[in-house]
Amino acid sequence: MLKRNNLKYIVLALVTLVCFHWVLTVTNPKSSYSKSWSGLSESEINGEILLQDDINNTTSYQIGKAKACFVILIRNDDLHDFRWTMRQLEDRFNHKYNYPYVFLNDVPFTEEFKKLTSALTKAKTEYGLIPPEHWNIPKDIDMEVVRKNMEQMKLEDVIYGDSIPYRHMCRFETGFFFRHELLDKYDYYWRVEPNVQFYCDIDFDPFMYLKENDIRYSFVISLYEYPKTIPTLWNSVKEFMEKYPDYIEKDNLVDFISNDGGENFNLCHFWSNFEIADLNLWRSEAYMKFFDFLDRKGGFFYERWGDAPVHSIAAALFLKKHQIHFFNEIGYKHEPFMHCPEDASLQLKCHCNPDDSFDFQGYSCTKRFLELKEYWNVTAIKNRG
């Protein structure tokens, strides 16, 4: 009888324990179980994120503090190259912040593209169609001249010199991507392209770094432009500067892009396949007038003006020196060039060889940028003293 009573008490105790655990689970969802599911501790949760249940529906989750997103101009055919890149970006950075992805294409995205990209992240994914007026050849462009110039560029082995789609891409990235309605709600963007690599753990929020330090443009690789693609670009820029001198920032970065105070372009530019920047820079009156002025010259089609030199020139002319930043911490490669940080402490978070880094090779402009920044910083300290 005693044994039977003991057994009864044991069963009762177990039932009570199970019920108590169920009550705790329901009333305290932020338990260790919810933490292991999300992968985030409470100290890492700073705002609201959207968790993608399927392609179209979302539920509440956590997000980084900045009004920011990744922007990807991409074709459906580049899906698998981008999945490889996206997996790295999630593992190295975005699994902690869940910033949304905005994909843009001049044709509708396939259901396969949407399904396979949204499956790689807990963040919101959006898919936008580029308006035809943002991906066209202006009516005043003489296509006979374009074809003749393209044939000559092909003979001279100018990369993408005979490509109309590449010209569309450059013009769109220069003057239109930031006007897409899907970007209206954001203040910052991180441009990402298919088949690029991210080598280092990014243990901070670059968007918030920009916001908190009054930085409006950032890069990881800089180099010289191919002169045959932009023979008349700098003359057009000088015309703009003469016509609109009030738009030029007095504390500018012109010494990065010119060796003689702006008389000539030294071809240095930030490689824009990676850029983290303030969208309001491109939305500004100064930049909008700058782009419209250049667009009317026809150089995006008659020559092969790229978004990289135009963005770089604009940033150098319209921003203050401290508003352009080199993200040494972000290891990155876009064929054929790579940035890999040399610092021993950063190497503990990376899997790249700093000896292969492009930063201080002869065709890189990063050394020039860093030397100028150091000089300006020393001068600023002396002036304050």
Side-chain angles (χ1 to χ4, degrees):
M1 177 66 73
L2 184 61
K3 289 183 178 180
R4 187 173 299 172
N5 286 338
N6 286 342
L7 181 60
K8 187 186 299 182
Y9 291 135
I10 292 172
V11 171
L12 182 61
L14 287 173
V15 171
T16 302
L17 182 61
V18 169
C19 291
F20 180 69
H21 181 270
W22 179 82
V23 170
L24 282 177
T25 302
V26 171
T27 59
N28 184 25
K30 292 182 180 179
S31 64
S32 59
Y33 291 94
S34 64
K35 176 183 174 182
S36 63
W37 178 258
S38 70
L40 299 172
S41 67
E42 289 191 34
S43 63
E44 293 173 307
I45 293 174
N46 297 316
E48 184 181 359
I49 284 176
L50 293 174
L51 169 62
Q52 186 106 13
D53 285 337
D54 56 43
I55 292 172
N56 298 309
N57 299 317
T58 56
T59 56
S60 180
Y61 204 64
Q62 301 301 319
I63 196 167
K65 288 182 178 180
K67 291 170 63 178
C69 66
F70 300 104
V71 178
I72 307 98
L73 175 63
I74 189 170
R75 301 169 300 184
N76 287 304
D77 291 345
D78 292 324
L79 167 62
H80 297 296
D81 284 340
F82 189 75
R83 290 174 71 200
W84 182 64
T85 292
M86 190 173 176
R87 179 72 275 160
Q88 292 181 53
L89 189 55
E90 285 291 311
D91 291 346
R92 290 299 196 178
F93 168 70
N94 204 42
H95 72 280
K96 289 183 271 188
Y97 294 93
N98 287 277
Y99 279 108
Y101 292 80
V102 176
F103 295 93
L104 301 176
N105 197 345
D106 65 313
V107 299
F109 284 105
T110 64
E111 291 305 309
E112 179 190 30
F113 188 100
K114 296 177 183 179
K115 183 177 181 180
L116 293 182
T117 50
S118 63
L120 287 170
T121 181
K122 294 175 182 177
K124 183 178 182 180
T125 53
E126 299 179 276
Y127 305 87
L129 184 63
I130 297 170
E133 61 270 23
H134 292 174
W135 197 273
N136 66 357
I137 298 175
K139 293 179 181 179
D140 57 350
I141 294 295
D142 186 335
M143 288 306 299
E144 284 301 317
V145 176
V146 172
R147 281 188 281 270
K148 180 181 177 182
N149 292 350
M150 287 171 56
E151 289 172 3
Q152 184 61 35
M153 286 188 179
K154 185 176 181 179
L155 290 174
E156 296 176 357
D157 293 324
V158 176
I159 186 169
Y160 304 118
D162 61 341
S163 171
I164 287 291
Y166 191 82
R167 285 166 166 80
H168 280 309
M169 182 276 291
C170 289
R171 182 170 178 262
F172 176 77
E173 291 282 21
T174 304
F176 295 102
F177 85 92
F178 52 89
R179 308 187 207 198
H180 197 283
E181 62 181 1
L182 290 181
L183 295 179
D184 287 348
K185 56 185 172 291
Y186 300 113
D187 291 330
Y188 298 92
Y189 73 98
W190 181 334
R191 178 171 163 181
V192 187
E193 295 198 351
N195 216 29
V196 302
Q197 297 186 62
F198 294 94
Y199 290 121
C200 305
D201 292 338
I202 305 169
D203 297 328
F204 65 101
D205 185 339
F207 296 121
M208 288 304 297
Y209 186 87
L210 264 62
K211 184 176 181 179
E212 292 170 351
N213 292 279
D214 188 32
I215 293 167
R216 305 193 67 190
Y217 188 88
S218 63
F219 72 100
V220 292
I221 293 175
S222 67
L223 67 165
Y224 293 96
E225 180 60 297
Y226 192 34
K228 290 184 179 180
T229 64
I230 55 165
T232 68
L233 175 59
W234 189 249
N235 284 337
S236 298
V237 171
K238 289 201 295 183
E239 282 183 45
F240 177 86
M241 289 192 289
E242 290 172 6
K243 187 173 182 178
Y244 300 103
D246 291 343
Y247 287 136
I248 310 305
E249 167 61 46
K250 290 181 174 58
D251 183 31
N252 62 48
L253 201 73
V254 71
D255 288 341
F256 175 68
I257 59 173
S258 176
N259 301 335
D260 52 17
E263 183 61 30
N264 295 285
F265 181 34
N266 65 12
L267 305 177
C268 278
H269 68 284
F270 309 117
W271 215 21
S272 60
N273 49 70
F274 174 105
E275 56 186 11
I276 305 176
D278 184 345
L279 283 161
N280 294 305
L281 167 60
W282 314 130
R283 294 165 178 158
S284 69
E285 179 181 304
Y287 185 77
M288 293 290 279
K289 284 200 173 182
F290 182 61
F291 171 73
D292 289 342
F293 185 89
L294 295 181
D295 200 32
R296 286 193 295 271
K297 296 291 184 180
F300 291 104
F301 292 97
Y302 294 138
E303 298 175 14
R304 206 225 64 192
W305 294 357
D307 52 284
V310 176
H311 276 192
S312 303
I313 291 168
L317 295 180
F318 302 148
L319 299 182
K320 298 179 187 296
K321 293 183 178 73
H322 75 270
Q323 292 180 314
I324 301 178
H325 181 70
F326 170 58
F327 269 124
N328 182 48
E329 305 92 332
I330 301 178
Y332 172 82
K333 184 174 186 178
H334 182 298
E335 291 290 351
F337 303 122
M338 175 181 75
H339 163 65
C340 181
E342 293 183 335
D343 310 59
S345 60
L346 292 176
Q347 272 295 311
L348 296 174
K349 303 175 184 179
C350 303
H351 73 279
C352 55
N353 184 348
D355 292 340
D356 297 330
S357 188
F358 180 66
D359 296 351
F360 300 106
Q361 294 182 21
Y363 204 64
S364 171
C365 293
T366 301
K367 181 180 179 182
R368 176 182 183 85
F369 177 85
L370 295 176
E371 289 175 347
L372 285 170
K373 290 285 278 191
E374 183 177 1
Y375 170 76
W376 292 324
N377 289 338
V378 171
T379 301
I381 291 171
K382 288 180 178 179
N383 290 338
R384 284 198 298 268

